[in-house]
Amino acid sequence: MTTTPPRTSIQLPPRTAVLSDRGSYWITTFGCQMNRADSERMAGILESMGYSQATGELEADLVLYNTCTIRNNAEQKVYSYLGRQAQRKRHNPNLTLVVAGCVAQQEGESLLRRVPELDLVMGPQHANRLETLLQQVDSGQQVVATETHYILEDITIARRDSPVCGWVNAIYGCNERCTYCVVPSVRGLEQSRRPEAIRLEIEDLAARGFKEITLLGQNIDAYGRDLPGITSEGRRQHTLTDLLHYVHDVEGIKRIRFATSHPRYFTERLIDTCADLPKLCEHFHIPFQSGDNDVLRAMARGYTVERYLRIIDRIRERMPDASISADAIVAFPGETDAQYKHTLELIEEVGFDQVNTAAYSPRPHTPAANWANQLPEAVKVARLQEINAVVEHNARARNTRYTGRIEEVLAEGINPKNPVQLTGRTRTNRLTFFNSKSSDGHHYNLGDLVNVRIDAVRSFSLSGTTVS
Ligand code: SAH
Ligand code: SF4
Ligand code: F3S
């Protein structure tokens, strides 16, 4: 039996005219949404230079790893990938090897010593400069670009992975100093984009058929604090709340999201704005990291559990069905059993829709990495296993509320495991599967907002039947 993939009404964005045939490229992206957005822009640059997407990593003429160093295991991944490519390069000197992103920034020159086959090592602030850097490589140099760089508005058209949902950078970098975190040292100081530039990008996405945008920042709530301007009431002119109002009416965009939120800066005004503006989706990703006030202090997070709970209460007061996700770290240096239990209690109390968990991993140039009270590996493993079971149990319990409900789902992609199905997300960010063809013969396309009656509920996804 053959299955016909669903028709799609939306085409991928037109590619910039190919100037010359430079061969093929392959990008592998590790890490967070910021890296994914950077990779899309770097792919756009490569295509405008005349590269085309390779069919596989081992066939490509240019291989770029956009790396993450948030934990040691994330960092180590790239070295095993690089080993394979370095070996390939010994037989194929024309292969161009690039390491971009956060490991590149952290290691800089020393990456060249470790992997001498590399052509280019470039930090995240240099993503938009890929063409210039490759020209230097072409002239025979090995290039390291890790100096602080002011991120200029780029004229690059990103090669977006999704034809429906687009990432839009709002603020780069992070000025916080959480004692465990490597991000400020690899992503640099905060740089907010001008609201006009952000709106232009969103208008362009809308004109190309995109329906959803996600405004991105490591600390999105800090948006605008580096931009000049005070309102007549003496308030900062540029805040995330103002930005949301400013971009809300872009025609064609149906949904707006933002990530990641910091509990220290998450304001009531922001919550009210999300409740009042219809395109703002009722999903909030607000990492709490620990459910214990002493651990939070040692992490230098700048809020208490009580403040965190007040934010959640306020969100649920204004948007009762909102979904809340978060990140948490277990086995932070010195975390006692009792303190760890407070994190489990917080998870039970809030009833999160999802929590990304990790065991603490010491990172270079971070204060906590040098503390003497590191916990043994066995404690990390045991706590992580236990917390994951609690998270999954909670997520499933939260998901049962969807059973039988009709949810608005944005069709975002084709289910690769079952091409007669489309995948999408509810406004609350739940991954949902449904048939592209309804029982009355109607075909749904990517980009459609579809009403789906939820029939099956799993821990992290839903499936259902379309209803007209
Ligand atoms: N800016 C966001 C998150 C950035 S990193 C915030 O402030 O919450 C994504 C997640 O990785 C963090 O939320 C944290 O839970 C985790 N993380 C960061 N550094 C870590 C480390 N050294 N060990 C374990 N997990 C870490
Ligand atoms: Fe890291 Fe803290 Fe900045 Fe988040 S807010 S990126 S955890 S330093
Ligand atoms: Fe990783 Fe860098 Fe993002 S360290 S989590 S890719 S900011």
Side-chain angles (χ1 to χ4, degrees):
M1 196 184 82
T2 55
T3 50
T4 324
R7 287 176 296 119
T8 56
S9 62
I10 294 177
Q11 300 299 310
L12 282 168
R15 303 277 177 267
T16 316
V18 173
L19 305 175
S20 62
D21 180 17
R22 298 280 305 238
S24 61
Y25 73 92
W26 184 264
I27 298 182
T28 300
T29 308
F30 306 90
C32 65
Q33 295 157 331
M34 253 64 57
N35 258 17
R36 286 163 71 184
D38 289 347
S39 285
E40 290 186 346
R41 287 204 311 280
M42 290 192 285
I45 293 173
L46 290 173
E47 295 199 357
S48 73
M49 288 174 72
Y51 284 95
S52 55
Q53 206 168 26
T55 46
E57 192 167 354
L58 296 175
E59 279 77 56
D61 302 302
L62 181 150
V63 174
L64 186 153
Y65 294 121
N66 196 9
T67 59
C68 171
T69 185
I70 199 77
R71 286 178 284 277
N72 185 49
N73 56 4
E75 179 181 351
Q76 296 313 319
K77 257 187 222 161
V78 70
Y79 297 120
S80 64
Y81 279 66
L82 273 177
R84 262 200 319 254
Q85 293 294 349
Q87 208 173 12
R88 230 184 110 209
K89 179 140 183 173
R90 278 172 231 133
H91 307 290
N92 174 8
N94 290 331
L95 169 65
T96 306
L97 266 184
V98 183
V99 176
C102 297
V103 176
Q105 186 66 37
Q106 178 185 290
E107 296 300 311
E109 289 263 353
S110 64
L111 255 181
L112 291 186
R113 280 192 290 278
R114 188 162 176 171
V115 188
E117 291 81 3
L118 281 176
D119 296 289
L120 170 59
V121 174
M122 53 185 287
Q125 294 186 353
H126 295 264
N128 294 348
R129 299 185 58 232
L130 180 60
E131 181 166 6
T132 312
L133 297 171
L134 284 175
Q135 280 160 0
Q136 292 171 19
V137 170
D138 278 349
S139 67
Q141 303 170 42
Q142 247 180 337
V143 180
V144 177
T146 50
E147 67 280 11
T148 303
H149 180 70
Y150 180 72
I151 303 170
L152 294 166
E153 279 306 335
D154 60 293
I155 42 162
T156 325
I157 306 274
R159 188 214 186 274
R160 310 249 176 195
D161 291 337
S162 161
V164 178
C165 305
W167 313 113
V168 178
N169 290 99
I171 175 168
Y172 301 101
C174 177
N175 286 9
E176 298 301 302
R177 283 288 176 273
C178 304
T179 51
Y180 51 83
C181 186
V182 76
V183 170
S185 76
V186 289
R187 288 261 161 185
L189 290 177
E190 289 168 4
Q191 295 183 34
S192 299
R193 292 177 70 199
R194 299 284 318 172
E196 298 79 12
I198 294 173
R199 190 180 161 110
L200 268 179
E201 183 174 346
I202 299 172
E203 285 171 353
D204 176 61
L205 286 170
R208 291 196 280 128
F210 282 74
K211 303 292 181 217
E212 176 180 303
I213 57 130
T214 302
L215 295 166
L216 289 183
Q218 275 298 357
N219 177 0
I220 188 80
D221 307 83
Y223 174 76
R225 64 179 173 182
D226 56 321
L227 295 176
I230 301 285
T231 65
S232 51
E233 302 102 65
R235 186 170 67 66
R236 229 180 349 109
Q237 192 179 350
H238 299 290
T239 67
L240 176 60
T241 312
D242 299 301
L243 179 67
L244 293 173
H245 280 284
Y246 180 64
V247 302
H248 188 261
D249 65 349
V250 173
E251 218 176 298
I253 297 297
K254 307 276 190 224
R255 290 178 167 188
I256 301 177
R257 303 178 187 275
F258 57 86
T260 299
S261 302
H262 194 305
R264 183 169 170 194
Y265 301 100
F266 206 90
T267 60
E268 276 203 9
R269 201 170 149 248
L270 176 62
I271 297 171
D272 291 342
T273 297
C274 294
D276 294 341
L277 293 179
K279 292 182 187 173
L280 261 290
C281 289
E282 297 78 20
H283 167 239
F284 301 93
H285 184 68
I286 320 177
F288 59 86
Q289 312 301 1
S290 167
D292 183 88
N293 281 340
D294 290 329
V295 176
L296 285 175
R297 195 169 306 115
M299 290 175 163
R301 290 286 289 176
Y303 54 86
T304 59
V305 175
E306 292 71 27
R307 162 148 174 95
Y308 188 83
L309 288 171
R310 276 200 301 278
I311 294 170
I312 305 300
D313 283 349
R314 178 75 187 175
I315 291 174
R316 290 194 167 147
E317 230 170 74
R318 293 294 324 263
M319 293 162 274
D321 192 47
S323 72
I324 316 267
S325 61
D327 301 344
I329 298 176
V330 296
F332 185 72
E335 184 189 66
T336 63
D337 253 328
Q339 289 171 331
Y340 157 69
K341 289 272 162 18
H342 289 157
T343 297
L344 295 185
E345 283 161 22
L346 182 65
I347 292 175
E348 297 282 5
E349 181 172 353
V350 172
F352 287 97
D353 293 77
Q354 168 67 315
V355 184
N356 306 319
T357 56
Y360 170 73
S361 167
R363 305 311 296 133
H365 319 298
T366 59
N370 298 320
W371 297 348
N373 52 355
Q374 307 290 325
L375 297 183
E377 197 54 33
V379 173
K380 293 184 178 178
V381 172
R383 288 185 185 170
L384 193 57
Q385 266 179 5
E386 186 184 26
I387 197 174
N388 283 344
V390 173
V391 166
E392 180 165 351
H393 177 257
N394 268 269
R396 184 183 282 272
R398 284 284 291 163
N399 255 0
T400 55
R401 77 190 196 279
Y402 290 107
T403 311
R405 259 168 53 171
I406 294 174
E407 288 289 312
E408 181 201 88
V409 178
L410 175 62
E412 294 169 24
I414 295 162
N415 181 359
K417 290 190 190 142
N418 181 4
V420 298
Q421 279 190 333
L422 293 178
T423 64
R425 280 171 302 152
T426 62
R427 285 176 65 94
T428 52
N429 209 36
R430 265 288 161 246
L431 180 65
T432 307
F433 299 93
F434 58 96
N435 278 354
S436 57
K437 197 172 159 190
S438 68
S439 52
D440 61 6
H442 185 80
H443 253 295
Y444 292 98
N445 297 315
L446 299 192
D448 286 348
L449 282 173
V450 185
N451 288 324
V452 178
R453 198 189 49 245
I454 306 302
D455 310 319
V457 165
R458 289 166 295 275
S459 296
F460 301 112
S461 66
L462 309 170
S463 47
T465 320
T466 53
V467 291
S468 50

